[in-house]
Amino acid sequence: MSPMTAIEIQQRAIQMLQEDADKILKLIEVQLDNLTMPQCPLYEEVLDTQMFGLSREIDFAVRLKLIQEDTGRRILSELERKLSKLNR
Amino acid sequence: MSPMTAIEIQQRAIQMLQEDADKILKLIEVQLDNLTMPQCPLYEEVLDTQMFGLSREIDFAVRLKLIQEDTGRRILSELERKLSKLNR
């Protein structure tokens, strides 16, 4: 397999970040299904840790000029929007 | 400025991860200089959070095939080695 071109790396970066965001959403959905009360500290901690991890990946991709800053912001805000819907 | 080539992106990724590792070392050195006792919970929490953030960046770079897995491991273990020296 020939090495990826810069454009392919950039496309793959966006795709991976979106997949990571979707994984967090899935993780939280499963947690909420199994939790009696979503305010339980562990749930908050898992969510904060995962969001912090994703934001560091996005920051790294932006600094490496693989994605635009607003693309990163969109991925995060879209995830936060979906998560807030889950919490209602 | 022409867009980076794939090779330049890979080189820049390694350089940035090393810079991020050095920033953590610097942060901890400053903390230790200002802390009476290095076992203080805040110090541990800052360290854990920063190490988790760096490991997520490294994992992202490995998955994106920007760096080899053992390069990532080397950056982390070298930082841990330097940190453990600080703690003595």
Side-chain angles (χ1 to χ4, degrees), chain A residues 1 4-6 9-10 12-13 16-17 20 23 49-50 52-54 56-57 59-61 63-66, chain B residues 1 4-6 9 12-13 16-17 20 23-24 49-50 52-54 56-57 59-61 63-66:
Chain A
M1 205 182 86
M4 287 196 283
T5 64
I9 291 174
Q10 288 164 338
R12 182 81 188 105
M16 265 174 54
L17 290 170
D20 287 354
K23 269 186 229 157
T49 305
Q50 290 301 321
F52 173 73
L54 181 62
R56 282 291 292 259
E57 287 180 10
D59 173 67
F60 180 74
R63 284 186 291 143
L64 199 50
K65 299 188 175 54
L66 297 182
Chain B
M1 203 184 83
M4 287 195 283
T5 64
I9 293 174
R12 182 81 187 104
M16 265 173 53
L17 290 170
D20 287 354
K23 269 185 228 158
I24 292 174
T49 306
Q50 290 300 322
F52 173 73
L54 181 62
R56 282 292 291 259
E57 287 181 10
D59 173 67
F60 180 74
R63 283 186 293 143
L64 200 51
K65 298 187 174 55
L66 297 182

mmCIF file of all heavy atoms in Angstrom, chain A residues 1 4-6 9-10 12-13 16-17 20 23 49-50 52-54 56-57 59-61 63-66, chain B residues 1 4-6 9 12-13 16-17 20 23-24 49-50 52-54 56-57 59-61 63-66:
data_model
loop_
_atom_site.group_PDB
_atom_site.id
_atom_site.type_symbol
_atom_site.label_atom_id
_atom_site.label_comp_id
_atom_site.label_asym_id
_atom_site.label_seq_id
_atom_site.Cartn_x
_atom_site.Cartn_y
_atom_site.Cartn_z
ATOM 1 N N MET A 1 0.852 -1.190 0.000
ATOM 2 C CA MET A 1 0.000 0.000 0.000
ATOM 3 C C MET A 1 0.896 1.251 0.000
ATOM 4 O O MET A 1 1.746 1.412 0.869
ATOM 5 C CB MET A 1 -0.860 -0.024 1.292
ATOM 6 C CG MET A 1 -2.158 0.752 1.158
ATOM 7 S SD MET A 1 -3.059 0.696 2.752
ATOM 8 C CE MET A 1 -2.260 2.090 3.550
ATOM 9 N N MET A 4 0.253 7.363 2.347
ATOM 10 C CA MET A 4 -0.839 8.303 2.093
ATOM 11 C C MET A 4 -0.289 9.649 1.634
ATOM 12 O O MET A 4 0.802 10.061 2.034
ATOM 13 C CB MET A 4 -1.659 8.519 3.380
ATOM 14 C CG MET A 4 -2.546 7.349 3.758
ATOM 15 S SD MET A 4 -3.780 7.868 4.989
ATOM 16 C CE MET A 4 -2.747 7.915 6.465
ATOM 17 N N THR A 5 -1.078 10.343 0.813
ATOM 18 C CA THR A 5 -0.706 11.714 0.446
ATOM 19 C C THR A 5 -1.170 12.635 1.571
ATOM 20 O O THR A 5 -1.965 12.230 2.431
ATOM 21 C CB THR A 5 -1.442 12.137 -0.845
ATOM 22 O OG1 THR A 5 -2.861 12.155 -0.529
ATOM 23 C CG2 THR A 5 -1.184 11.153 -1.986
ATOM 24 N N ALA A 6 -0.736 13.882 1.548
ATOM 25 C CA ALA A 6 -1.115 14.861 2.584
ATOM 26 C C ALA A 6 -2.639 15.011 2.632
ATOM 27 O O ALA A 6 -3.249 15.024 3.704
ATOM 28 C CB ALA A 6 -0.440 16.190 2.300
ATOM 29 N N ILE A 9 -4.205 12.121 4.342
ATOM 30 C CA ILE A 9 -3.972 12.197 5.791
ATOM 31 C C ILE A 9 -4.996 13.150 6.405
ATOM 32 O O ILE A 9 -5.619 12.842 7.441
ATOM 33 C CB ILE A 9 -2.536 12.673 6.100
ATOM 34 C CG1 ILE A 9 -1.511 11.598 5.704
ATOM 35 C CG2 ILE A 9 -2.386 13.022 7.582
ATOM 36 C CD1 ILE A 9 -0.061 12.051 5.832
ATOM 37 N N GLN A 10 -5.215 14.288 5.743
ATOM 38 C CA GLN A 10 -6.172 15.274 6.271
ATOM 39 C C GLN A 10 -7.585 14.700 6.291
ATOM 40 O O GLN A 10 -8.307 14.832 7.288
ATOM 41 C CB GLN A 10 -6.109 16.564 5.433
ATOM 42 C CG GLN A 10 -4.825 17.343 5.679
ATOM 43 C CD GLN A 10 -4.540 18.399 4.616
ATOM 44 O OE1 GLN A 10 -5.039 18.316 3.491
ATOM 45 N NE2 GLN A 10 -3.725 19.387 4.979
ATOM 46 N N ARG A 12 -8.412 11.543 6.380
ATOM 47 C CA ARG A 12 -8.434 10.447 7.374
ATOM 48 C C ARG A 12 -8.521 11.039 8.783
ATOM 49 O O ARG A 12 -9.210 10.489 9.648
ATOM 50 C CB ARG A 12 -7.150 9.614 7.191
ATOM 51 C CG ARG A 12 -7.016 8.419 8.102
ATOM 52 C CD ARG A 12 -7.791 7.179 7.633
ATOM 53 N NE ARG A 12 -7.744 6.167 8.680
ATOM 54 C CZ ARG A 12 -8.792 5.875 9.487
ATOM 55 N NH1 ARG A 12 -9.960 6.478 9.336
ATOM 56 N NH2 ARG A 12 -8.691 4.962 10.425
ATOM 57 N N ALA A 13 -7.850 12.169 9.000
ATOM 58 C CA ALA A 13 -7.853 12.811 10.330
ATOM 59 C C ALA A 13 -9.271 13.227 10.707
ATOM 60 O O ALA A 13 -9.754 12.919 11.812
ATOM 61 C CB ALA A 13 -6.931 14.032 10.334
ATOM 62 N N MET A 16 -11.398 10.145 11.407
ATOM 63 C CA MET A 16 -11.059 9.507 12.696
ATOM 64 C C MET A 16 -11.622 10.304 13.866
ATOM 65 O O MET A 16 -12.134 9.748 14.829
ATOM 66 C CB MET A 16 -9.543 9.395 12.826
ATOM 67 C CG MET A 16 -8.994 8.043 12.389
ATOM 68 S SD MET A 16 -7.186 8.027 12.388
ATOM 69 C CE MET A 16 -6.830 8.575 14.049
ATOM 70 N N LEU A 17 -11.536 11.638 13.774
ATOM 71 C CA LEU A 17 -12.055 12.483 14.857
ATOM 72 C C LEU A 17 -13.575 12.320 14.963
ATOM 73 O O LEU A 17 -14.126 12.232 16.068
ATOM 74 C CB LEU A 17 -11.679 13.942 14.606
ATOM 75 C CG LEU A 17 -10.188 14.260 14.771
ATOM 76 C CD1 LEU A 17 -9.868 15.668 14.274
ATOM 77 C CD2 LEU A 17 -9.754 14.095 16.234
ATOM 78 N N ASP A 20 -14.226 9.043 16.589
ATOM 79 C CA ASP A 20 -13.953 9.120 18.036
ATOM 80 C C ASP A 20 -15.106 9.827 18.750
ATOM 81 O O ASP A 20 -15.504 9.434 19.852
ATOM 82 C CB ASP A 20 -12.635 9.854 18.290
ATOM 83 C CG ASP A 20 -11.422 8.996 17.908
ATOM 84 O OD1 ASP A 20 -11.620 7.802 17.566
ATOM 85 O OD2 ASP A 20 -10.290 9.523 17.934
ATOM 86 N N LYS A 23 -17.897 7.411 18.996
ATOM 87 C CA LYS A 23 -17.623 6.398 20.038
ATOM 88 C C LYS A 23 -18.001 6.944 21.418
ATOM 89 O O LYS A 23 -18.559 6.225 22.256
ATOM 90 C CB LYS A 23 -16.128 6.041 20.046
ATOM 91 C CG LYS A 23 -15.766 4.868 19.151
ATOM 92 C CD LYS A 23 -14.278 4.507 19.337
ATOM 93 C CE LYS A 23 -13.560 4.364 18.000
ATOM 94 N NZ LYS A 23 -12.112 4.554 18.081
ATOM 95 N N THR A 49 -13.566 12.989 31.002
ATOM 96 C CA THR A 49 -12.290 12.419 30.546
ATOM 97 C C THR A 49 -12.308 12.221 29.040
ATOM 98 O O THR A 49 -11.363 12.602 28.337
ATOM 99 C CB THR A 49 -12.041 11.056 31.250
ATOM 100 O OG1 THR A 49 -12.112 11.250 32.655
ATOM 101 C CG2 THR A 49 -10.707 10.468 30.849
ATOM 102 N N GLN A 50 -13.405 11.670 28.545
ATOM 103 C CA GLN A 50 -13.492 11.412 27.101
ATOM 104 C C GLN A 50 -13.515 12.713 26.301
ATOM 105 O O GLN A 50 -12.862 12.844 25.270
ATOM 106 C CB GLN A 50 -14.753 10.584 26.803
ATOM 107 C CG GLN A 50 -14.686 9.151 27.295
ATOM 108 C CD GLN A 50 -13.514 8.387 26.683
ATOM 109 O OE1 GLN A 50 -13.196 8.539 25.503
ATOM 110 N NE2 GLN A 50 -12.838 7.587 27.501
ATOM 111 N N PHE A 52 -12.226 15.546 27.219
ATOM 112 C CA PHE A 52 -10.874 16.119 27.302
ATOM 113 C C PHE A 52 -9.953 15.421 26.293
ATOM 114 O O PHE A 52 -9.217 16.077 25.558
ATOM 115 C CB PHE A 52 -10.313 15.969 28.715
ATOM 116 C CG PHE A 52 -8.863 16.376 28.845
ATOM 117 C CD1 PHE A 52 -8.504 17.717 28.799
ATOM 118 C CD2 PHE A 52 -7.860 15.419 28.970
ATOM 119 C CE1 PHE A 52 -7.168 18.099 28.896
ATOM 120 C CE2 PHE A 52 -6.524 15.791 29.070
ATOM 121 C CZ PHE A 52 -6.173 17.130 29.035
ATOM 122 N N GLY A 53 -10.039 14.096 26.235
ATOM 123 C CA GLY A 53 -9.200 13.335 25.292
ATOM 124 C C GLY A 53 -9.474 13.738 23.857
ATOM 125 O O GLY A 53 -8.553 13.984 23.075
ATOM 126 N N LEU A 54 -10.746 13.859 23.507
ATOM 127 C CA LEU A 54 -11.111 14.237 22.132
ATOM 128 C C LEU A 54 -10.647 15.665 21.832
ATOM 129 O O LEU A 54 -10.101 15.935 20.757
ATOM 130 C CB LEU A 54 -12.634 14.129 21.935
ATOM 131 C CG LEU A 54 -13.154 14.483 20.531
ATOM 132 C CD1 LEU A 54 -12.594 13.537 19.473
ATOM 133 C CD2 LEU A 54 -14.683 14.472 20.503
ATOM 134 N N ARG A 56 -8.120 17.153 23.030
ATOM 135 C CA ARG A 56 -6.655 17.157 22.834
ATOM 136 C C ARG A 56 -6.302 16.607 21.446
ATOM 137 O O ARG A 56 -5.372 17.072 20.784
ATOM 138 C CB ARG A 56 -5.980 16.325 23.923
ATOM 139 C CG ARG A 56 -5.868 17.042 25.251
ATOM 140 C CD ARG A 56 -4.907 18.198 25.237
ATOM 141 N NE ARG A 56 -3.535 17.781 25.092
ATOM 142 C CZ ARG A 56 -2.654 17.699 26.108
ATOM 143 N NH1 ARG A 56 -3.054 17.958 27.342
ATOM 144 N NH2 ARG A 56 -1.404 17.336 25.901
ATOM 145 N N GLU A 57 -7.057 15.604 20.987
ATOM 146 C CA GLU A 57 -6.816 15.072 19.633
ATOM 147 C C GLU A 57 -7.111 16.156 18.595
ATOM 148 O O GLU A 57 -6.334 16.378 17.660
ATOM 149 C CB GLU A 57 -7.723 13.860 19.364
ATOM 150 C CG GLU A 57 -7.331 12.602 20.089
ATOM 151 C CD GLU A 57 -8.273 11.453 19.762
ATOM 152 O OE1 GLU A 57 -9.099 11.583 18.847
ATOM 153 O OE2 GLU A 57 -8.191 10.412 20.446
ATOM 154 N N ASP A 59 -7.152 19.430 19.030
ATOM 155 C CA ASP A 59 -6.141 20.493 19.140
ATOM 156 C C ASP A 59 -4.859 20.086 18.425
ATOM 157 O O ASP A 59 -4.249 20.878 17.701
ATOM 158 C CB ASP A 59 -5.862 20.753 20.621
ATOM 159 C CG ASP A 59 -4.708 21.719 20.836
ATOM 160 O OD1 ASP A 59 -4.869 22.900 20.482
ATOM 161 O OD2 ASP A 59 -3.627 21.265 21.286
ATOM 162 N N PHE A 60 -4.483 18.828 18.587
ATOM 163 C CA PHE A 60 -3.275 18.308 17.931
ATOM 164 C C PHE A 60 -3.438 18.364 16.407
ATOM 165 O O PHE A 60 -2.554 18.820 15.682
ATOM 166 C CB PHE A 60 -3.028 16.871 18.399
ATOM 167 C CG PHE A 60 -1.822 16.215 17.793
ATOM 168 C CD1 PHE A 60 -0.554 16.576 18.200
ATOM 169 C CD2 PHE A 60 -1.950 15.235 16.816
ATOM 170 C CE1 PHE A 60 0.579 15.984 17.648
ATOM 171 C CE2 PHE A 60 -0.832 14.634 16.258
ATOM 172 C CZ PHE A 60 0.438 15.005 16.670
ATOM 173 N N ALA A 61 -4.597 17.941 15.913
ATOM 174 C CA ALA A 61 -4.858 17.927 14.458
ATOM 175 C C ALA A 61 -4.865 19.357 13.901
ATOM 176 O O ALA A 61 -4.356 19.627 12.815
ATOM 177 C CB ALA A 61 -6.186 17.227 14.176
ATOM 178 N N ARG A 63 -3.246 22.017 15.236
ATOM 179 C CA ARG A 63 -1.871 22.532 15.287
ATOM 180 C C ARG A 63 -1.027 21.946 14.157
ATOM 181 O O ARG A 63 -0.087 22.576 13.665
ATOM 182 C CB ARG A 63 -1.215 22.218 16.633
ATOM 183 C CG ARG A 63 -1.687 23.098 17.757
ATOM 184 C CD ARG A 63 -0.909 22.845 19.027
ATOM 185 N NE ARG A 63 -1.187 21.544 19.616
ATOM 186 C CZ ARG A 63 -0.266 20.789 20.209
ATOM 187 N NH1 ARG A 63 0.979 21.184 20.292
ATOM 188 N NH2 ARG A 63 -0.608 19.621 20.739
ATOM 189 N N LEU A 64 -1.357 20.709 13.783
ATOM 190 C CA LEU A 64 -0.600 20.034 12.711
ATOM 191 C C LEU A 64 -1.150 20.431 11.338
ATOM 192 O O LEU A 64 -0.720 19.935 10.305
ATOM 193 C CB LEU A 64 -0.688 18.510 12.910
ATOM 194 C CG LEU A 64 0.321 17.607 12.236
ATOM 195 C CD1 LEU A 64 1.758 18.056 12.486
ATOM 196 C CD2 LEU A 64 0.145 16.165 12.678
ATOM 197 N N LYS A 65 -2.134 21.350 11.352
ATOM 198 C CA LYS A 65 -2.762 21.843 10.113
ATOM 199 C C LYS A 65 -3.410 20.716 9.300
ATOM 200 O O LYS A 65 -3.439 20.753 8.068
ATOM 201 C CB LYS A 65 -1.746 22.618 9.273
ATOM 202 C CG LYS A 65 -1.164 23.848 9.974
ATOM 203 C CD LYS A 65 -0.319 24.686 9.010
ATOM 204 C CE LYS A 65 0.159 25.980 9.666
ATOM 205 N NZ LYS A 65 0.892 25.749 10.957
ATOM 206 N N LEU A 66 -3.913 19.712 10.002
ATOM 207 C CA LEU A 66 -4.619 18.629 9.305
ATOM 208 C C LEU A 66 -6.087 18.999 9.139
ATOM 209 O O LEU A 66 -6.767 18.568 8.231
ATOM 210 C CB LEU A 66 -4.507 17.321 10.094
ATOM 211 C CG LEU A 66 -3.101 16.765 10.274
ATOM 212 C CD1 LEU A 66 -3.146 15.445 11.029
ATOM 213 C CD2 LEU A 66 -2.410 16.578 8.935
ATOM 214 N N MET B 1 2.821 29.892 1.276
ATOM 215 C CA MET B 1 3.484 28.708 1.802
ATOM 216 C C MET B 1 2.753 27.484 1.232
ATOM 217 O O MET B 1 1.564 27.294 1.432
ATOM 218 C CB MET B 1 3.400 28.716 3.338
ATOM 219 C CG MET B 1 4.498 27.879 3.995
ATOM 220 S SD MET B 1 4.269 27.827 5.811
ATOM 221 C CE MET B 1 3.070 26.506 5.876
ATOM 222 N N MET B 4 1.993 21.286 3.252
ATOM 223 C CA MET B 4 3.022 20.323 3.650
ATOM 224 C C MET B 4 2.848 19.016 2.879
ATOM 225 O O MET B 4 1.736 18.613 2.543
ATOM 226 C CB MET B 4 2.920 20.044 5.155
ATOM 227 C CG MET B 4 3.402 21.160 6.035
ATOM 228 S SD MET B 4 3.650 20.568 7.746
ATOM 229 C CE MET B 4 1.954 20.511 8.324
ATOM 230 N N THR B 5 3.989 18.342 2.657
ATOM 231 C CA THR B 5 3.925 16.998 2.080
ATOM 232 C C THR B 5 3.651 16.022 3.226
ATOM 233 O O THR B 5 3.776 16.365 4.401
ATOM 234 C CB THR B 5 5.287 16.622 1.453
ATOM 235 O OG1 THR B 5 6.248 16.577 2.543
ATOM 236 C CG2 THR B 5 5.734 17.634 0.412
ATOM 237 N N ALA B 6 3.342 14.773 2.895
ATOM 238 C CA ALA B 6 3.062 13.750 3.907
ATOM 239 C C ALA B 6 4.261 13.569 4.833
ATOM 240 O O ALA B 6 4.119 13.489 6.060
ATOM 241 C CB ALA B 6 2.697 12.434 3.226
ATOM 242 N N ILE B 9 4.472 16.362 7.273
ATOM 243 C CA ILE B 9 3.439 16.220 8.308
ATOM 244 C C ILE B 9 3.914 15.223 9.366
ATOM 245 O O ILE B 9 3.799 15.462 10.571
ATOM 246 C CB ILE B 9 2.098 15.760 7.696
ATOM 247 C CG1 ILE B 9 1.501 16.857 6.802
ATOM 248 C CG2 ILE B 9 1.105 15.356 8.783
ATOM 249 C CD1 ILE B 9 0.248 16.413 6.038
ATOM 250 N N ARG B 12 6.676 16.773 11.434
ATOM 251 C CA ARG B 12 6.097 17.816 12.292
ATOM 252 C C ARG B 12 5.333 17.163 13.460
ATOM 253 O O ARG B 12 5.373 17.645 14.585
ATOM 254 C CB ARG B 12 5.154 18.677 11.427
ATOM 255 C CG ARG B 12 4.507 19.837 12.136
ATOM 256 C CD ARG B 12 5.376 21.073 12.266
ATOM 257 N NE ARG B 12 4.701 22.038 13.113
ATOM 258 C CZ ARG B 12 5.039 22.293 14.400
ATOM 259 N NH1 ARG B 12 6.059 21.678 14.964
ATOM 260 N NH2 ARG B 12 4.372 23.162 15.115
ATOM 261 N N ALA B 13 4.684 16.040 13.191
ATOM 262 C CA ALA B 13 3.913 15.344 14.241
ATOM 263 C C ALA B 13 4.848 14.884 15.358
ATOM 264 O O ALA B 13 4.586 15.119 16.539
ATOM 265 C CB ALA B 13 3.185 14.135 13.643
ATOM 266 N N MET B 16 6.112 17.902 17.300
ATOM 267 C CA MET B 16 5.069 18.488 18.172
ATOM 268 C C MET B 16 4.841 17.628 19.409
ATOM 269 O O MET B 16 4.680 18.129 20.509
ATOM 270 C CB MET B 16 3.769 18.631 17.397
ATOM 271 C CG MET B 16 3.570 19.988 16.776
ATOM 272 S SD MET B 16 2.113 20.031 15.723
ATOM 273 C CE MET B 16 0.856 19.410 16.843
ATOM 274 N N LEU B 17 4.843 16.300 19.231
ATOM 275 C CA LEU B 17 4.635 15.401 20.376
ATOM 276 C C LEU B 17 5.800 15.531 21.357
ATOM 277 O O LEU B 17 5.600 15.564 22.573
ATOM 278 C CB LEU B 17 4.488 13.954 19.886
ATOM 279 C CG LEU B 17 3.206 13.652 19.133
ATOM 280 C CD1 LEU B 17 3.262 12.265 18.486
ATOM 281 C CD2 LEU B 17 1.986 13.764 20.053
ATOM 282 N N ASP B 20 5.321 18.721 23.194
ATOM 283 C CA ASP B 20 4.256 18.588 24.201
ATOM 284 C C ASP B 20 4.776 17.841 25.430
ATOM 285 O O ASP B 20 4.442 18.170 26.570
ATOM 286 C CB ASP B 20 3.049 17.859 23.596
ATOM 287 C CG ASP B 20 2.283 18.743 22.613
ATOM 288 O OD1 ASP B 20 2.629 19.953 22.505
ATOM 289 O OD2 ASP B 20 1.371 18.239 21.943
ATOM 290 N N LYS B 23 6.843 20.191 27.382
ATOM 291 C CA LYS B 23 5.991 21.159 28.108
ATOM 292 C C LYS B 23 5.504 20.557 29.416
ATOM 293 O O LYS B 23 5.454 21.227 30.451
ATOM 294 C CB LYS B 23 4.779 21.542 27.246
ATOM 295 C CG LYS B 23 4.984 22.748 26.358
ATOM 296 C CD LYS B 23 3.668 23.097 25.643
ATOM 297 C CE LYS B 23 3.878 23.329 24.143
ATOM 298 N NZ LYS B 23 2.646 23.165 23.344
ATOM 299 N N ILE B 24 5.152 19.255 29.372
ATOM 300 C CA ILE B 24 4.674 18.589 30.598
ATOM 301 C C ILE B 24 5.804 18.547 31.620
ATOM 302 O O ILE B 24 5.612 18.849 32.806
ATOM 303 C CB ILE B 24 4.153 17.168 30.279
ATOM 304 C CG1 ILE B 24 2.884 17.242 29.438
ATOM 305 C CG2 ILE B 24 3.904 16.383 31.563
ATOM 306 C CD1 ILE B 24 2.382 15.879 28.961
ATOM 307 N N THR B 49 -3.625 14.103 34.270
ATOM 308 C CA THR B 49 -4.397 14.721 33.183
ATOM 309 C C THR B 49 -3.503 15.000 31.986
ATOM 310 O O THR B 49 -3.857 14.674 30.850
ATOM 311 C CB THR B 49 -5.043 16.043 33.669
ATOM 312 O OG1 THR B 49 -5.804 15.778 34.835
ATOM 313 C CG2 THR B 49 -5.901 16.665 32.590
ATOM 314 N N GLN B 50 -2.332 15.551 32.254
ATOM 315 C CA GLN B 50 -1.413 15.882 31.153
ATOM 316 C C GLN B 50 -0.900 14.615 30.457
ATOM 317 O O GLN B 50 -0.820 14.566 29.227
ATOM 318 C CB GLN B 50 -0.229 16.696 31.687
ATOM 319 C CG GLN B 50 -0.597 18.102 32.113
ATOM 320 C CD GLN B 50 -1.185 18.912 30.967
ATOM 321 O OE1 GLN B 50 -0.743 18.811 29.818
ATOM 322 N NE2 GLN B 50 -2.203 19.693 31.271
ATOM 323 N N PHE B 52 -2.445 11.760 30.315
ATOM 324 C CA PHE B 52 -3.577 11.200 29.555
ATOM 325 C C PHE B 52 -3.742 11.964 28.238
ATOM 326 O O PHE B 52 -3.890 11.352 27.173
ATOM 327 C CB PHE B 52 -4.864 11.283 30.377
ATOM 328 C CG PHE B 52 -6.101 10.894 29.610
ATOM 329 C CD1 PHE B 52 -6.352 9.572 29.293
ATOM 330 C CD2 PHE B 52 -7.006 11.866 29.169
ATOM 331 C CE1 PHE B 52 -7.489 9.211 28.559
ATOM 332 C CE2 PHE B 52 -8.137 11.520 28.447
ATOM 333 C CZ PHE B 52 -8.379 10.186 28.140
ATOM 334 N N GLY B 53 -3.650 13.294 28.296
ATOM 335 C CA GLY B 53 -3.793 14.107 27.077
ATOM 336 C C GLY B 53 -2.720 13.766 26.067
ATOM 337 O O GLY B 53 -3.003 13.568 24.874
ATOM 338 N N LEU B 54 -1.486 13.653 26.527
ATOM 339 C CA LEU B 54 -0.371 13.331 25.618
ATOM 340 C C LEU B 54 -0.559 11.927 25.032
ATOM 341 O O LEU B 54 -0.355 11.712 23.835
ATOM 342 C CB LEU B 54 0.971 13.414 26.358
ATOM 343 C CG LEU B 54 2.218 13.123 25.510
ATOM 344 C CD1 LEU B 54 2.380 14.124 24.361
ATOM 345 C CD2 LEU B 54 3.479 13.108 26.380
ATOM 346 N N ARG B 56 -3.287 10.408 24.445
ATOM 347 C CA ARG B 56 -4.358 10.441 23.422
ATOM 348 C C ARG B 56 -3.832 11.065 22.122
ATOM 349 O O ARG B 56 -4.196 10.641 21.023
ATOM 350 C CB ARG B 56 -5.560 11.225 23.954
ATOM 351 C CG ARG B 56 -6.412 10.454 24.916
ATOM 352 C CD ARG B 56 -7.154 9.310 24.261
ATOM 353 N NE ARG B 56 -8.190 9.763 23.354
ATOM 354 C CZ ARG B 56 -9.493 9.789 23.666
ATOM 355 N NH1 ARG B 56 -9.891 9.408 24.870
ATOM 356 N NH2 ARG B 56 -10.384 10.190 22.797
ATOM 357 N N GLU B 57 -2.954 12.058 22.230
ATOM 358 C CA GLU B 57 -2.363 12.660 21.018
ATOM 359 C C GLU B 57 -1.501 11.627 20.303
ATOM 360 O O GLU B 57 -1.572 11.468 19.088
ATOM 361 C CB GLU B 57 -1.487 13.871 21.387
ATOM 362 C CG GLU B 57 -2.243 15.094 21.816
ATOM 363 C CD GLU B 57 -1.304 16.243 22.147
ATOM 364 O OE1 GLU B 57 -0.102 16.157 21.865
ATOM 365 O OE2 GLU B 57 -1.793 17.246 22.700
ATOM 366 N N ASP B 59 -1.672 8.331 20.543
ATOM 367 C CA ASP B 59 -2.533 7.282 19.985
ATOM 368 C C ASP B 59 -3.156 7.745 18.671
ATOM 369 O O ASP B 59 -3.211 6.997 17.686
ATOM 370 C CB ASP B 59 -3.629 6.949 21.007
ATOM 371 C CG ASP B 59 -4.669 6.008 20.455
ATOM 372 O OD1 ASP B 59 -4.333 4.840 20.183
ATOM 373 O OD2 ASP B 59 -5.820 6.467 20.215
ATOM 374 N N PHE B 60 -3.574 8.991 18.634
ATOM 375 C CA PHE B 60 -4.175 9.564 17.420
ATOM 376 C C PHE B 60 -3.148 9.573 16.281
ATOM 377 O O PHE B 60 -3.447 9.157 15.158
ATOM 378 C CB PHE B 60 -4.663 10.981 17.716
ATOM 379 C CG PHE B 60 -5.304 11.685 16.547
ATOM 380 C CD1 PHE B 60 -6.572 11.338 16.116
ATOM 381 C CD2 PHE B 60 -4.633 12.698 15.870
ATOM 382 C CE1 PHE B 60 -7.169 11.969 15.031
ATOM 383 C CE2 PHE B 60 -5.213 13.345 14.786
ATOM 384 C CZ PHE B 60 -6.484 12.978 14.372
ATOM 385 N N ALA B 61 -1.927 10.000 16.594
ATOM 386 C CA ALA B 61 -0.865 10.075 15.565
ATOM 387 C C ALA B 61 -0.505 8.682 15.055
ATOM 388 O O ALA B 61 -0.274 8.482 13.860
ATOM 389 C CB ALA B 61 0.367 10.761 16.144
ATOM 390 N N ARG B 63 -2.560 5.978 15.053
ATOM 391 C CA ARG B 63 -3.693 5.486 14.264
ATOM 392 C C ARG B 63 -3.714 6.131 12.876
ATOM 393 O O ARG B 63 -4.158 5.544 11.892
ATOM 394 C CB ARG B 63 -5.009 5.751 14.984
ATOM 395 C CG ARG B 63 -5.287 4.790 16.123
ATOM 396 C CD ARG B 63 -6.659 5.011 16.706
ATOM 397 N NE ARG B 63 -6.798 6.274 17.387
ATOM 398 C CZ ARG B 63 -7.916 7.016 17.364
ATOM 399 N NH1 ARG B 63 -8.964 6.643 16.681
ATOM 400 N NH2 ARG B 63 -7.963 8.156 18.044
ATOM 401 N N LEU B 64 -3.234 7.381 12.829
ATOM 402 C CA LEU B 64 -3.236 8.116 11.553
ATOM 403 C C LEU B 64 -1.976 7.774 10.730
ATOM 404 O O LEU B 64 -1.719 8.337 9.680
ATOM 405 C CB LEU B 64 -3.298 9.623 11.839
ATOM 406 C CG LEU B 64 -3.754 10.569 10.743
ATOM 407 C CD1 LEU B 64 -5.067 10.133 10.103
ATOM 408 C CD2 LEU B 64 -3.899 11.990 11.254
ATOM 409 N N LYS B 65 -1.178 6.841 11.278
ATOM 410 C CA LYS B 65 0.068 6.386 10.628
ATOM 411 C C LYS B 65 1.049 7.552 10.405
ATOM 412 O O LYS B 65 1.805 7.571 9.438
ATOM 413 C CB LYS B 65 -0.252 5.678 9.319
ATOM 414 C CG LYS B 65 -1.107 4.419 9.508
ATOM 415 C CD LYS B 65 -1.249 3.649 8.198
ATOM 416 C CE LYS B 65 -1.974 2.316 8.394
ATOM 417 N NZ LYS B 65 -3.310 2.470 9.039
ATOM 418 N N LEU B 66 1.036 8.514 11.333
ATOM 419 C CA LEU B 66 1.999 9.619 11.241
ATOM 420 C C LEU B 66 3.285 9.239 11.956
ATOM 421 O O LEU B 66 4.370 9.698 11.631
ATOM 422 C CB LEU B 66 1.414 10.897 11.870
ATOM 423 C CG LEU B 66 0.178 11.472 11.197
ATOM 424 C CD1 LEU B 66 -0.261 12.753 11.896
ATOM 425 C CD2 LEU B 66 0.416 11.716 9.716
#
